[in-house]
Amino acid sequence: MMTKTKSAVALPLNEIIAGDCIDVMNSLPAESVDLIFADPPYNLQLRGDLHRPDNSKVDAVDDAWDQFDSFKVYDKFTRAWLKAARRLLKPNGAIWVIGSYHNIFRVGTALQDAGFWILNDVVWRKSNPMPNFRGKRFTNAHETMIWAGKDESSKYTFNYEALKALNDGIQMRSDWVLPICTGHERLKNEEGDKAHPTQKPEGLLHRLLVGSTNPGDVVLDPFFGTGTTGAVAKMLGREFIGIEREEAYRKVAAKRIASVRKFDREALAVSTSKRAEPRVPFGQLVERGMLRPGEQLYSMNNRHKAKVRADGTLIGDDVKGSIHQVGAHLEGAPSCNGWTYWCFKREGKTVPIDVLRQQIRSEMHD
Ligand SMILES: C[S@@+](CC[C@H](N)C(=O)[O-])C[C@H]1O[C@@H](n2cnc3c(N)ncnc32)[C@H](O)[C@@H]1O
C-alpha cells in the first residue's frame, strides 16, 4: 500500500472505506490530508411526499441518512465530523463544505467554532434548477460552498492563474454557474432509477480541485456517495480517500472510478503566477558573473541608465538602491518592477535582465 505520511499508519489512498465517517476519520493519521471536500447530509426535514402539479411524486431526498431528530442532533453530528476532519488536515490544508439553506448556516458556525478560517463562500448557481412545484417559494436555484483553511495562518493552495485561465482570462468570481448533474453523467441503478439522490456534477469538482489542490495532493471525501470527488480527483492526478456508509453507493462509486482515466501529465499542468515561482535575488546575477559590477543597465524605454554594483544594488546619477527603487525614482513612480524595467547589452543587442532570472529558475526546476 502507498503511504505519503511520516506516521506509521499507512494512508488508504484511492480506496473507498466502509463505515461511519467519524469513526473512520478518527482511525486515520493526523495531518495527512491536503484537502477535504464534504457534501454532508442536508437535514432537509421533509414532511410527507412532494408532488408535481400532475400528481407525480418528486424524487426528493428522503433517505434515512438525511434524517436527524432535531437541529441539536444535527449540530452535534456536524461538530463531531468537523473535529475529526480538522485533525486529518495538514497545517496548510483546507476544507470545502457544500450545503443548502437547510444546513449551511449551521455548518458555517460550527466551522468557525472548530477553528477553521473561512476564505470564501462560493454560490453554485444551478443553470437548470428543479422548479418550485408548489409555487409557494422562490425556485431554489443555488447551493452554497464554504471554503475554509485549517486555521487563520494556513498557507492554503489557491491556483489563482489556473482559475483565471479556466474563466477565459477573467478573475474567477465566487458565483459559479453550472448545471446540475443530468444526462449521461447521472448514474443509474439496475432498475434505471437515479443511483443516488444528490450526485454532484463533475464540473463543480473539476473547478474546485484545479483551483485548490495540486497534482499528487490527497483529497478526502467523508460523504463519498457516488464518488464524484474520487472520479474527478483520479482524472486530475490527485489521490483520494472516500468514506461511505451505504454499501450500494460504495459499489456504484467503485465501478465509476474504475472506468475513469487519468489525464496525461502534460495536460495536468496548470498556469501558475509569477509569485509562485522561486524567488531569485538580483544579487545572484552578479554573484554568478552573469552581470559584472560596473556594467551599465538601460531602462526598457532607453531613457535612463544605471550601473551595477558588487552588492547587487544600482547607482545612477543621483540615486542608488535596488533595481526596483532606482527604476521607481527615475520614472517618478511610486513603485517599479525592476525585473521588467532593466536591460543589459550583449553583442549589440538589448536583453531584459529577466531573461537571466528565467535561466536561474529553469536550473532550479531541473
Ligand atoms: C449528500 S450525499 C453525497 C453525494 C456525493 N457528493 C455524490 O456526488 O455522489 C451524502 C452521502 O453521505 C453518506 N453518509 C451520511 N452520513 C454518513 C456517515 N455518518 N458516515 C459516512 N457516510 C455517510 C450518505 O450515505 C450519502 O451517500
Side-chain angles (χ1 to χ4, degrees):
M1 192 182 291
M2 292 165 76
T3 173
K4 280 206 157 183
T5 58
K6 283 177 251 145
S7 142
V9 189
L11 264 188
L13 292 181
N14 307 318
E15 286 182 23
I16 307 171
I17 309 167
D20 176 79
C21 67
I22 301 170
D23 297 341
V24 175
M25 285 194 280
N26 284 338
S27 72
L28 296 175
E31 303 196 347
S32 55
V33 165
D34 297 285
L35 189 87
I36 293 174
F37 174 80
D39 181 9
Y42 295 67
N43 189 23
L44 287 186
Q45 308 129 347
L46 291 179
R47 315 256 189 263
D49 290 343
L50 187 57
H51 291 92
R52 296 191 179 84
D54 66 3
N55 239 2
S56 59
K57 187 168 168 265
V58 175
D59 194 6
V61 185
D62 53 3
D63 308 70
W65 57 258
D66 202 50
Q67 314 286 330
F68 293 83
D69 288 341
S70 62
F71 285 138
K72 203 169 158 203
V73 175
Y74 185 76
D75 290 348
K76 195 168 167 222
F77 164 72
T78 302
R79 286 169 190 275
W81 76 255
L82 281 175
K83 184 174 175 211
R86 191 159 178 273
R87 188 187 70 89
L88 292 187
L89 280 179
K90 294 179 186 171
N92 292 330
I95 189 169
W96 287 85
V97 188
I98 185 166
S100 62
Y101 67 85
H102 307 86
N103 67 334
I104 199 67
F105 301 105
R106 314 190 80 81
V107 171
T109 303
L111 269 167
Q112 288 181 321
D113 289 349
F116 288 100
W117 190 254
I118 297 185
L119 300 165
N120 274 117
D121 64 327
V122 169
V123 170
W124 164 33
R125 185 152 85 74
K126 301 174 182 180
S127 49
N128 51 349
M130 200 158 64
N132 183 284
F133 292 111
R134 293 196 183 120
K136 300 259 181 191
R137 295 196 201 173
F138 297 104
T139 303
N140 188 17
H142 75 275
E143 289 188 31
T144 301
M145 297 192 289
I146 299 178
W147 177 42
K150 180 169 185 175
D151 56 45
E152 190 179 351
S153 61
S154 299
K155 291 190 178 62
Y156 54 88
T157 298
F158 182 56
N159 293 325
Y160 172 82
E161 295 293 339
L163 287 165
K164 191 169 160 187
L166 261 184
N167 197 31
D168 272 351
I170 300 164
Q171 193 172 79
M172 186 67 82
R173 298 163 32 135
S174 62
D175 47 349
W176 301 0
V177 184
L178 292 165
I180 60 171
C181 183
T182 52
H184 71 278
E185 202 184 309
R186 187 93 211 193
L187 300 166
K188 301 270 163 46
N189 59 21
E190 272 148 27
E191 288 78 49
D193 299 325
K194 284 181 198 166
H196 195 289
T198 68
Q199 183 184 337
K200 294 296 169 294
E202 291 185 0
L204 193 73
L205 270 299
H206 182 102
R207 188 176 295 182
L208 190 151
L209 291 182
V210 165
S212 60
T213 60
N214 292 310
D217 278 2
V218 177
V219 181
L220 176 122
D221 183 336
F223 303 100
F224 207 52
T226 58
T228 312
T229 307
V232 179
K234 183 175 171 188
M235 285 183 229
L236 292 174
R238 276 69 169 164
E239 317 278 2
F240 72 85
I241 300 171
I243 308 171
E244 172 57 56
R245 197 162 77 164
E246 308 285 329
E247 191 187 0
Y249 298 153
R250 289 198 302 274
K251 274 194 181 152
V252 171
K255 190 169 163 213
R256 173 188 195 179
I257 294 168
S259 69
V260 160
R261 271 192 37 224
K262 183 176 158 178
F263 301 142
D264 62 45
R265 228 180 122 219
E266 219 169 277
L268 290 178
V270 296
S271 318
T272 51
S273 70
K274 291 224 162 40
R275 267 175 292 162
E277 300 207 50
R279 204 178 91 80
V280 178
F282 176 73
Q284 217 180 96
L285 274 51
V286 184
E287 284 169 345
R288 295 186 45 172
M290 294 165 131
L291 293 172
R292 279 167 293 114
E295 181 161 2
Q296 201 81 248
L297 296 189
Y298 303 85
S299 64
M300 198 67 96
N301 58 20
N302 222 3
R303 281 207 288 267
H304 302 286
K305 54 188 183 184
K307 264 189 194 152
V308 175
R309 300 202 299 179
D311 63 358
T313 56
L314 300 187
I315 181 156
D317 283 345
D318 59 345
V319 57
K320 53 184 184 243
S322 73
I323 50 170
H324 314 293
Q325 288 164 335
V326 174
H329 176 86
L330 293 173
E331 290 299 324
S335 63
C336 164
N337 180 353
W339 287 108
T340 51
Y341 181 77
W342 294 108
C343 301
F344 62 101
K345 296 235 162 107
R346 282 290 177 280
E347 293 158 10
K349 287 205 181 99
T350 307
V351 187
I353 58 168
D354 208 22
V355 168
L356 301 176
R357 179 168 69 158
Q358 290 308 335
Q359 201 175 313
I360 295 180
R361 278 193 176 141
S362 65
E363 292 165 9
M364 289 169 156
H365 290 309
D366 287 345

